Amino acid sequence: MTTSQLLDSVNAELEKQKSFIQDQIIGKRKIARERRMDRIAQLQEALVLAKATGIVEPKIDEAANQLNMEYMRGTKAIEAEIQLLKNRKNDDSFIDGIRNLQERIASLNAISLGAEKIKPAAIDQLTTIP
């Protein structure tokens, strides 16, 4: 009975840890998707401005970089980035720390604990120095 209880306790803790990490991964993926959508919105505004000013090819100089004048990249580059972001199927490669979390889940999944590995013992007296 002790073996069964200990095994259940350890397995429950492992599942709790895996669930916690999985929730972190889900949260990171959601935030990455929202950031990608934000970036698309920013680029679409820059594209409107680039079209309005007639900038097709990049005209970036130091001032444009410092002032965050994305529209100076030109319509070709902006449209290409928008299309790239829209077509992205998975943000995992761009999410900081997600591979570490996946590695932790893999490590927890690799833990194999069975009843045969647990050897309970009863202590009937305190140890004494010989």
Side-chain angles (χ1 to χ4, degrees):
M1 190 166 107
T2 301
T3 302
S4 177
Q5 288 175 345
L6 185 58
L7 189 59
D8 290 345
S9 175
V10 169
N11 285 331
E13 183 61 30
L14 282 173
E15 288 304 314
K16 185 174 103 176
Q17 288 286 330
K18 287 190 272 187
S19 177
F20 177 73
I21 295 169
Q22 194 63 36
D23 289 345
Q24 286 181 310
I25 290 172
I26 290 168
K28 283 182 174 279
R29 284 182 175 149
K30 181 180 178 206
I31 295 299
R33 184 181 187 290
E34 290 172 1
R35 285 183 177 151
R36 183 166 42 96
M37 292 299 125
D38 291 345
R39 179 71 179 147
I40 290 170
Q42 292 167 355
L43 289 170
Q44 286 173 334
E45 282 189 14
L47 180 61
V48 169
L49 193 53
K51 285 181 179 179
T53 57
I55 300 172
V56 177
E57 298 295 326
K59 294 184 179 182
I60 296 181
D61 59 10
E62 193 61 32
N65 281 335
Q66 289 177 351
L67 297 173
N68 195 20
M69 300 168 71
E70 285 230 56
Y71 68 94
M72 296 295 281
R73 292 174 53 205
T75 58
K76 286 183 181 180
I78 295 170
E79 286 172 339
E81 187 175 349
I82 289 171
Q83 198 59 41
L84 186 72
L85 290 171
K86 284 182 176 180
N87 290 338
R88 185 181 295 163
K89 299 199 182 337
N90 188 330
D91 290 316
D92 284 5
S93 297
F94 304 93
I95 302 172
D96 287 336
I98 199 164
R99 298 299 180 214
N100 292 336
L101 293 172
Q102 290 170 333
E103 184 179 10
R104 286 178 52 198
I105 285 181
S107 295
L108 291 173
N109 285 334
I111 295 173
S112 170
L113 188 62
E116 69 281 355
K117 293 182 180 178
I118 298 175
K119 306 290 184 208
I123 298 174
D124 58 358
Q125 72 181 32
L126 296 174
T127 58
T128 57
I129 298 175

